[in-house]
Amino acid sequence: MGNKIETSSGYPIFISDISERLSEFLNSGEYSKTIVLVDSHTSEHCLPLLNLSVDRIADCDIIEIDPGETNKNIDICIGILSMMNDFEMDRNSLLINLGGGMVCDMGGFAASVYKRGIDFIHIPTSLLAMADASIGGKTGLDLNSIKNLIGTFADPKAVFIDPDFLITLPERELISGYAEIIKHSLIADADQFNSVKKHKLDIPSPELIRDSVNIKNNIVSQDPYEQGIRKVLNFGHTIGHALESFSLQNDEDHLLHGEAIAIGMICESFLSHKKNGLPDKQLKEICDFLFFNFPSYKIGEEDYDTLIELMKKDKKNKKSAIQFSLLKEIGKCDYDIVCREDDIIEALDFYLQFIK
Ligand SMILES: NC(=O)c1ccc[n+]([C@@H]2O[C@H](COP(=O)([O-])OP(=O)(O)OC[C@H]3O[C@@H](n4cnc5c(N)ncnc54)[C@H](O)[C@@H]3O)[C@@H](O)[C@H]2O)c1
């Protein structure tokens, strides 16, 4: 397997056997200071592995933050920026983001605004970050539980993906990560969807991660700043992000990102059927698969108004019309489709009928 993917922005993505490539990168960079950003879980489970395989990591200072989506906010980010300053990082410094999508999004953001931008690399350690969040140059923070309200477009210098990190990832997080792999297959590769469907959702092969990265990379290369085709990557996310924000605001044991996106994909497949010609048989195929593999989430009709208000705050909307990316068939997706509130309510009803 070729384990290097070139992006159109010029940064490489390495998959598997990363220690040699990472050592080469760190030795060639001549950075004045290198800091590793971790959360407490990746500090415990991933940093020791990296220390063993890459000598230079032992010389780095560490910034550790609390884990989880509720910490992906501006207050924690200010703490990171202050520590970067305390460690006297100058413009010729490097930040290494070692973690899941939360650490990659936060670290990418912090690096992109610190002293007007310093170099950073991602070493994703969750499946979701390997297959999706570390690719494509978006950074983000939540504000008032609204997803990624603050963010920048900023490319890392390189991404190093080592599936060995997944051994310590909790099973619930692993399944959550599959949501974005499934999304990539639904929007762009029907064969991949059929192949994912046949397997148990356990630690994936490096090939599956590579194929998923390739789908995202191909789409992002055509439209880095999301003016057009990149919007297809938002399939499942208009309703999914609203549910994730709602759950972050209301539940102690909140929905994980991928879990919310899986429900979003069920609802938006319904909308795809209603508004964009997704065949009935394929709607059933998608829903059966997602219901079987992902936990359900109890919402009530009394929550619809709040959810729709959250959807209205979505960054992708134009003039407060709620915009969707919807499947035409499995493997093909269109974007900029406006749905009315009664369509959205019907989609939520569609989901609710299965979990009542
Ligand atoms: N920037 C993008 O393009 C993009 C795309 C998709 C998702 N995202 C963002 O990614 C985030 C979700 O990412 P996530 O699911 O990785 O969440 P996460 O970073 O919170 O990681 C999930 C949990 O797994 C732990 N963890 C990570 N790797 C581990 C390992 N190897 N062993 C043990 N524990 C480990 C983390 O500490 C955390 O508790 C969301 O904030 C979402 O908005 C960003």
Side-chain angles (χ1 to χ4, degrees):
M1 179 181 85
N3 67 354
K4 182 179 178 188
I5 297 173
E6 289 291 353
T7 63
S8 62
S9 315
Y11 68 89
I13 301 165
F14 298 104
I15 305 180
S16 301
D17 305 324
I18 61 164
S19 50
E20 208 175 307
R21 299 304 194 129
L22 183 56
S23 299
E24 271 169 28
F25 176 88
L26 294 175
N27 290 332
S28 67
E30 292 180 1
Y31 287 107
S32 49
K33 182 116 205 153
T34 302
I35 302 259
V36 185
L37 176 68
V38 286
D39 68 25
S40 53
H41 297 148
T42 60
S43 171
E44 183 185 344
H45 298 293
C46 307
L47 194 54
L49 280 183
L50 199 62
N51 258 323
L52 276 180
S53 59
V54 181
D55 294 342
R56 294 279 300 254
I57 296 295
D59 303 331
C60 300
D61 287 308
I62 308 293
I63 299 179
E64 183 178 317
I65 55 174
D66 287 337
E69 187 68 26
T70 49
N71 292 304
K72 202 179 94 169
N73 61 48
I74 193 75
D75 297 322
I76 302 291
C77 189
I78 288 169
I80 295 172
L81 292 166
S82 303
M83 287 191 73
M84 289 165 77
N85 190 38
D86 292 346
F87 280 126
E88 297 179 350
M89 288 181 95
D90 61 21
R91 275 190 160 169
N92 194 36
S93 301
L94 175 75
L95 185 68
I96 300 179
N97 301 316
L98 178 68
M102 182 267 194
V103 166
C104 292
D105 274 8
M106 281 272 270
F109 179 79
S112 74
V113 296
Y114 182 77
K115 299 196 172 176
R116 298 213 171 86
I118 62 164
D119 284 358
F120 65 96
I121 59 173
H122 290 314
I123 308 180
T125 60
S126 69
L127 180 57
L128 195 140
M130 290 180 191
D132 191 358
S134 65
I135 315 297
K138 275 188 186 176
T139 77
L141 305 178
D142 306 338
L143 184 66
N144 302 332
S145 302
I146 298 174
K147 291 283 302 174
N148 304 326
L149 200 62
I150 304 172
T152 53
F153 283 102
D155 286 324
K157 283 287 152 194
V159 179
F160 298 89
I161 299 175
D162 187 346
D164 283 353
F165 285 124
L166 297 176
I167 292 163
T168 56
L169 188 71
E171 193 189 359
R172 185 176 168 199
E173 299 289 352
L174 188 78
I175 306 274
S176 168
Y178 264 100
E180 301 283 14
I181 291 182
I182 293 164
K183 179 199 75 182
H184 288 158
S185 68
L186 285 173
I187 61 174
D189 189 342
D191 290 343
Q192 196 195 80
F193 181 66
N194 286 329
S195 134
V196 174
K197 255 185 11 176
K198 283 190 199 121
H199 294 98
K200 190 171 177 304
L201 302 190
D202 49 18
I203 292 184
S205 65
E207 287 77 12
L208 179 58
I209 296 174
R210 181 200 56 198
D211 291 348
S212 204
V213 167
N214 266 325
I215 291 175
K216 179 157 184 187
N217 183 42
N218 286 338
I219 294 170
V220 171
S221 304
Q222 296 169 56
D223 176 23
Y225 298 106
E226 203 168 294
Q227 300 302 304
I229 183 74
R230 184 173 180 162
K231 294 180 188 174
V232 299
L233 291 165
N234 296 320
F235 171 63
H237 281 61
T238 306
I239 294 181
H241 269 165
L243 284 163
E244 188 182 2
S245 296
F246 179 85
S247 178
L248 283 166
Q249 285 164 6
N250 291 291
D251 309 319
E252 204 166 316
D253 183 20
H254 59 80
L255 281 173
L256 300 180
H257 178 72
E259 294 171 347
I261 298 312
I263 302 170
M265 287 193 286
I266 293 172
C267 297
E268 295 183 24
S269 293
F270 172 84
L271 289 173
S272 301
H273 172 61
K274 186 171 181 212
K275 311 273 292 186
N276 206 35
L278 177 73
D280 203 21
K281 190 166 160 277
Q282 294 192 3
L283 170 66
K284 186 170 174 343
E285 206 181 321
I286 296 167
C287 293
D288 286 350
F289 178 60
L290 293 173
F291 272 116
F292 181 75
N293 285 291
F294 290 85
S296 50
Y297 181 63
K298 199 127 187 70
I299 39 167
E301 285 169 16
E302 65 282 5
D303 303 321
Y304 286 5
D305 284 350
T306 315
L307 287 168
I308 288 173
E309 281 313 306
L310 285 165
M311 286 174 221
K312 284 183 181 161
K313 295 202 172 92
D314 195 290
K315 300 180 287 303
K316 302 178 294 294
N317 295 335
K318 273 190 204 140
K319 294 186 184 160
S320 82
I322 305 177
Q323 305 255 8
F324 286 84
S325 298
L326 298 178
L327 302 176
K328 182 100 210 135
E329 59 188 72
I330 292 175
K332 287 203 172 70
C333 190
D334 297 319
Y335 55 89
D336 281 349
I337 300 173
V338 173
C339 290
R340 295 193 319 260
E341 285 187 30
D342 49 357
D343 297 322
I344 299 170
I345 288 171
E346 223 184 307
L348 293 169
D349 281 343
F350 172 78
Y351 177 73
L352 271 192
Q353 71 176 325
F354 291 104
I355 61 158
K356 267 180 179 158

